[in-house]
Amino acid sequence: MLCLGAQSYVRAQTAPQLGKASVKEVIAAMTLEEKAKLLVGAGRGFGPPPPPAAAAQGAAKPATPVAAPAGPMIGQTDQKVPGAAGVTYAIPRLGIPAIVVSDGPAGVRISPIRKGDSSKTYYATAFPVGTLLASSWDPELVKQVGTAFGYEVHEYGIDILLGPGMNIHRNPLGGRNFEYYSEDPLVTGKMAAAMVEGIQSNGVGTSIKHYTANNQETHRNTVNTIVSERAMREIYLRGFEIAVKDAQPWTVMTSYNKLNGTYTSERQDLVTTILRNEWGFKGFVMTDWGGGRDPIAQMNAGNDLIMPGNPNQAKAIIDAVNNKQLDEAVLNANVEHVLNIILKSPAFAHYKYSDAPDLKKDAQVSRMAAAQGMVLLKNSGNPLPFSGVKKVALFGNTGYDIIAGGTGSGNVNKAYTISLAQGLQSAGLHVDEGLLKAYPAYIADARAKMPKPQRGMGMFSGPPPVPQMTIADADIQQDAANNDIALITIGRNAGEGADRKLPDDYYLSDAEKALIKSVSDAFHAKGKKVVAVLNIGGVIEVASWRDEVDGILLAWQPGLEAGNAIADVLSGKVNPSGKLATTFTMDYKDVPSAKNFPGKEFPDQATGEGFRRQMPAEVTYEDGIYVGYRYYSTFKVDPAYAFGYGLSYTTFGYSGLKLSSPAFKGKLTATVTITNTGKVAGKEVAELYLSAPAAKLDKPAMELKGFAKTRLLRPGESQTLSFDLDAKALASYDTAQEAWVAEAGNYTVSVGASSKDIKQTAQFKLGNELVVEKDEKALAPQVAITEMTSKTN
Ligand code: BGC
């Protein structure tokens, strides 16, 4: 006996240590409780969980419903990094440290001020929002932003950044669209991959989110998203597939919604079959904060980590193993995924972070990137770049109170934001003094009179917008006499917890329309120009008012150097080269998902009160694969500004489109020469669209299969761009075969300056049908969907 006791004492002393022993040995030494705790975040107290949500219509009741706190939740951890979103459980006896995860997609979101520490601040750089970055169509640029971003993640003691966000812009009202990249999965995937590569080049991780079909905020914790397998594969999974294959993010975050009846975090086919087995994902999967309902189903699905985590979830896991409802081998696999990433983390390496990243340097990266992603939508009579302009009349609240980025977990606590007024002044321009005084005073007064935000989802949305200041026509006429040009800013903000609205958001308010009219009339009467600057995170209606102004610069939400970056473009210091990665429709009714957004709700089944109120809901993606330009081009609906569109201060010629072969044999390269035919240096984005034969399967008229951006070309200078097409680029998803199939026949390659401005075309032939990739059956909807097809055209 004595002897045995001594042996176990020795064993305890030499418990295998992570990094020294193999991961398998460490797992073998873990108790069941330790495993469960590692797989459930170390959490935050948000009070007791509400009763489990009523099972939605037709959905099976989960075996062990342990509801995480419902309602709004942006994680917080006050331990190592105050204001970070969450932390994992440490097991010091096995050498397993806690790792810290933090939001969000546009910059590190942590508390800028720390209790008992008045010596310094912990601000971070607000980079431009995802939609702006995607509008650069420049993965190298996005990687550069990611590299600066990841450096701040590292220097603030964070192990994994909860981003990039990469859901598809299915509908312009999506409240979090600003965090995401595009309506197109190729642009989305390439941008996300570049961001992941950049951030992870610092030795920290990312979490691409929200996996998947999370395209609305309305009822985000309960909505059942009903989508066809084909639309899933071609639209809603494709971006994630590209990001995983190209960049291996350390983690993936599952979404809040149900997908075809089951929470995404509880779907083994989504999390294990597709992500891990088909795509070769090597990291770990975490839930969104409070996402899903059933920890046992999450463990079985391969959703390795439940965040932010509460003790009930760990207990449910332990009980399920003890009751033989859950196989401990499942936990071992999940623990292995988590430990493999912890091994790479700065926490494991005891990295001595500085808490003092060089924010000045990163602000310059933010400014530079912001200018690269702005899109010049209109420039009639060339009001831009400013020429002979010294005095600017700056109208619109957001000229003085600019919106750097969206709200909720996509927000960044930054030390400052440069307003447009400041940016113009720093560029040596004179901003009308009357307006410069009146606007900030009006905004401060209006804010002071606003009611305090209520507890609930709305508390993440920041203060409501201040209505436009009204200015008497006589004053505007005076401004027109005193200044050389008018700028009118139109601002919009949104964020997690709510989708945008049509009145006064997608559509301009009456006050905004009146302002545009009065300013345009007054300035035009004096032969002076008017330029609108759109400081928005998502698409708005432009068709009804765009004729009144001479120019429109889409500045998006450009990060903390906003005003400087906008001034760089207005002044011509930077020639705009951004293009739309999301369509601006003529009207909301033209949006293919308009009649299926945000779907149906079931108020009679609602549970909980106040901000914990949960309402079952469902949305059916009848638009299928016809999202964005895939719809507008196929159904011949004219957009206001097409996908891929954007002007420059110069012009470009396209010539000599060549294909490497007239027949497809596994691979094909297209080359085209772009020439700067104008008077100033500029960069051009060229887009390659493919039109595939549609004998068997319904196909969109065109799909983006490649894009490339030139370097800065001097007037007269040319550059040849090349685009590689592999077999998958030719293929569509054939649900009957569960395979990506390229049909035999003629394919048309169209290279253009936008989806509506095709400059060169060429054709190639595929002799025989190709089954490019055979997949497992997965994600099948449980109900029939009446999907749009081009035959209904
Ligand atoms: C958001 C996530 C975020 C998480 C942690 C959730 O409410 O949906 O995007 O990363 O909170 O703050």
Side-chain angles (χ1 to χ4, degrees):
M1 287 303 284
L2 243 184
C3 180
L4 267 181
Q7 269 179 1
S8 63
Y9 175 75
V10 169
R11 249 203 321 266
Q13 281 294 293
T14 56
Q17 297 295 298
L18 187 66
K20 297 205 176 85
S22 73
V23 167
K24 290 238 171 355
E25 284 165 332
V26 174
I27 296 171
M30 288 172 83
T31 64
L32 173 59
E33 194 183 348
E34 285 170 337
K35 289 176 193 173
K37 286 190 167 167
L38 184 71
L39 298 175
V40 173
R44 297 292 306 155
F46 269 91
Q57 285 197 324
K61 207 168 175 295
T64 320
V66 180
M73 191 171 345
I74 299 179
Q76 297 272 314
T77 169
D78 288 331
Q79 298 162 23
K80 184 171 162 191
V81 186
V87 66
T88 61
Y89 181 75
I91 309 174
R93 87 177 178 92
L94 301 172
I96 303 173
I99 55 171
V100 175
V101 302
S102 172
D103 287 311
V108 173
R109 192 178 73 88
I110 55 175
S111 303
I113 315 280
R114 292 188 183 171
K115 257 196 222 135
D117 176 3
S118 55
S119 65
K120 67 194 291 287
T121 54
Y122 299 79
Y123 288 107
T125 303
F127 294 99
V129 297
T131 309
L132 180 149
L133 292 177
S135 309
S136 73
W137 295 66
D138 186 350
E140 273 310 308
L141 174 94
V142 176
K143 189 173 168 185
Q144 203 182 332
V145 171
T147 304
F149 188 167
Y151 152 73
E152 292 185 26
V153 173
H154 202 209
E155 289 310 314
Y156 274 132
I158 296 152
D159 298 282
I160 295 173
L161 189 276
L162 302 174
M166 53 179 301
N167 293 101
I168 292 291
H169 293 167
R170 172 174 177 254
N171 185 288
L173 302 185
R176 298 184 78 170
N177 281 0
F178 72 96
E179 294 184 50
Y180 309 145
Y181 294 116
S182 171
E183 68 190 23
D184 176 81
L186 178 69
V187 176
T188 297
K190 291 293 176 194
M191 295 300 154
M195 181 57 88
V196 167
E197 278 176 16
I199 294 175
Q200 292 192 173
S201 69
N202 293 275
V204 295
T206 53
S207 194
I208 57 173
K209 69 189 189 186
H210 309 88
Y211 185 63
T212 176
N214 181 184
N215 310 98
Q216 66 184 57
E217 288 299 287
T218 306
H219 302 308
R220 65 178 184 169
N221 291 89
T222 52
V223 69
N224 179 22
T225 307
I226 300 172
V227 201
S228 73
E229 288 168 70
R230 179 172 178 192
M232 282 306 302
R233 294 279 182 174
E234 293 187 13
I235 307 290
Y236 299 103
L237 290 173
R238 185 77 181 119
F240 285 95
E241 176 182 1
I242 293 168
V244 166
K245 288 182 174 170
D246 285 8
Q248 275 295 340
W250 287 15
T251 78
V252 171
M253 186 192 291
T254 45
S255 54
Y256 279 133
N257 54 291
K258 289 177 186 166
L259 171 59
N260 292 330
T262 307
Y263 280 109
T264 52
S265 56
E266 299 172 11
R267 289 203 75 113
Q268 187 174 34
D269 52 1
L270 182 70
V271 172
T272 295
T273 312
I274 293 177
L275 178 65
R276 236 174 244 292
N277 301 349
E278 289 182 8
W279 300 346
F281 173 64
K282 302 270 184 298
F284 74 77
V285 178
M286 70 175 94
T287 63
D288 197 346
W289 268 229
R293 283 292 173 272
D294 180 356
I296 313 310
Q298 289 171 328
M299 287 297 113
N300 275 321
N303 189 114
D304 309 290
L305 177 66
I306 299 175
M307 290 302 278
N310 71 45
N312 293 348
Q313 293 162 322
K315 183 171 180 308
I317 291 171
I318 294 167
D319 290 350
V321 173
N322 287 334
N323 300 336
K324 308 256 176 298
Q325 286 170 337
L326 175 63
D327 188 345
E328 194 165 347
V330 168
L331 299 191
N332 293 344
N334 296 350
V335 166
E336 185 173 346
H337 301 148
V338 174
L339 289 182
N340 280 336
I341 293 300
I342 292 182
L343 269 170
K344 303 206 266 188
S345 67
F348 181 76
H350 302 287
Y351 178 65
K352 299 244 172 323
Y353 51 97
S354 64
D355 269 337
D358 182 348
L359 297 179
K360 281 219 174 82
K361 190 176 78 188
D362 288 353
Q364 291 318 305
V365 176
S366 183
R367 174 176 179 168
M368 180 277 297
Q372 295 296 320
M374 291 182 191
V375 186
L376 183 61
L377 295 177
K378 175 170 183 179
N379 202 21
S380 295
N382 298 329
L384 300 178
F386 288 162
S387 143
V389 169
K390 292 197 178 65
K391 293 170 155 190
V392 179
L394 178 60
F395 297 94
N397 298 346
T398 50
Y400 303 85
D401 187 23
I402 204 152
I403 302 165
T407 61
S409 59
N411 179 38
V412 182
N413 295 315
K414 54 223 163 274
Y416 65 88
T417 303
I418 304 288
S419 73
L420 181 51
Q422 289 169 316
L424 294 168
Q425 287 171 324
S426 301
L429 291 151
H430 179 271
V431 178
D432 183 89
E433 278 144 12
L435 296 169
L436 191 59
K437 278 202 192 102
Y439 268 104
Y442 162 78
I443 293 166
D445 184 55
R447 284 257 159 78
K449 289 182 185 146
M450 272 179 187
K452 292 260 171 302
Q454 298 295 304
R455 192 165 155 74
M457 275 316 210
M459 73 189 187
F460 293 149
S461 16
V466 173
Q468 276 302 335
M469 181 172 86
T470 40
I471 313 176
D473 279 352
D475 290 337
I476 294 178
Q477 277 149 19
Q478 193 58 52
D479 295 332
N482 293 348
N483 295 283
D484 302 322
I485 197 166
L487 294 182
I488 307 174
T489 60
I490 300 293
R492 290 290 182 271
N493 210 354
E496 70 173 298
D499 288 312
R500 295 173 55 212
K501 303 278 176 292
L502 286 172
D504 300 345
D505 190 348
Y506 175 80
Y507 294 110
L508 263 49
S509 67
D510 289 345
E512 287 168 335
K513 283 188 211 152
L515 181 70
I516 291 175
K517 176 145 189 14
S518 309
V519 170
S520 300
D521 286 352
F523 278 73
H524 289 159
K526 298 232 153 24
K528 294 175 182 173
K529 305 270 191 218
V530 178
V531 173
V533 175
L534 307 184
N535 176 206
I536 58 183
V539 170
I540 61 169
E541 188 273 331
V542 290
S544 68
W545 58 267
R546 63 178 167 181
D547 290 348
E548 292 176 43
V549 297
D550 306 285
I552 305 176
L553 177 66
L554 173 54
W556 294 119
Q557 294 173 338
L560 85 177
E561 286 284 326
N564 285 334
I566 298 172
D568 287 343
V569 174
L570 296 174
S571 66
K573 194 169 154 193
V574 174
N575 185 353
S577 61
K579 292 193 175 184
L580 294 178
T582 202
T583 305
F584 274 58
T585 42
M586 292 295 283
D587 199 356
Y588 182 71
K589 66 174 170 32
D590 296 340
V591 174
S593 58
K595 78 178 171 79
N596 295 111
F597 185 94
K600 285 186 253 171
E601 51 186 36
F602 304 103
D604 49 323
Q605 296 172 38
T607 57
E609 291 302 324
F611 83 90
R612 289 188 185 280
R613 187 167 156 81
Q614 300 254 306
M615 174 113 64
E618 86 185 15
V619 57
T620 306
Y621 286 14
E622 291 184 348
D623 37 322
I625 56 169
Y626 290 104
V627 176
Y629 70 88
R630 284 171 167 76
Y631 171 79
Y632 305 113
S633 62
T634 309
F635 290 74
K636 304 195 170 41
V637 176
D638 258 344
Y641 295 114
F643 177 80
Y645 167 86
L647 300 171
S648 163
Y649 297 151
T650 187
T651 49
F652 296 96
Y654 286 60
S655 60
L657 173 62
K658 271 197 214 70
L659 304 184
S660 56
S661 159
F664 186 83
K665 296 186 195 92
K667 192 177 168 258
L668 195 124
T669 302
T671 49
V672 71
T673 300
I674 311 289
T675 306
N676 183 344
T677 52
K679 295 200 172 64
V680 291
K683 297 178 189 174
E684 171 72 339
V685 173
E687 302 150 33
L688 183 149
Y689 298 89
L690 198 61
S691 305
K696 259 170 72 175
L697 292 178
D698 189 37
K699 304 265 168 81
M702 63 200 303
E703 291 185 279
L704 185 80
K705 296 296 174 182
F707 57 89
K709 193 164 185 173
T710 66
R711 61 176 183 271
L712 189 72
L713 296 176
R714 292 186 307 273
E717 199 183 351
S718 297
Q719 183 180 352
T720 298
L721 300 176
S722 77
F723 309 83
D724 290 333
L725 296 175
D726 61 9
K728 196 151 174 178
L730 278 54
S732 301
Y733 196 76
D734 181 2
T735 311
Q737 297 189 58
E738 299 295 349
W740 288 86
V741 177
E743 289 187 48
N746 289 325
Y747 288 72
T748 303
V749 171
S750 305
V751 176
S754 87
S755 57
K756 290 272 293 175
D757 184 12
I758 299 305
K759 305 283 194 186
Q760 302 251 295
T761 58
Q763 294 203 328
F764 66 86
K765 204 176 150 77
L766 176 66
N768 296 307
E769 176 178 298
L770 278 181
V771 176
V772 178
E773 182 187 302
K774 186 94 182 82
D775 292 329
E776 295 272 321
K777 178 145 189 82
L779 313 177
Q782 295 165 324
V783 291
I785 306 174
T786 320
E787 258 187 330
M788 217 178 249
T789 75
S790 69
K791 310 284 180 293
T792 51
N793 192 348

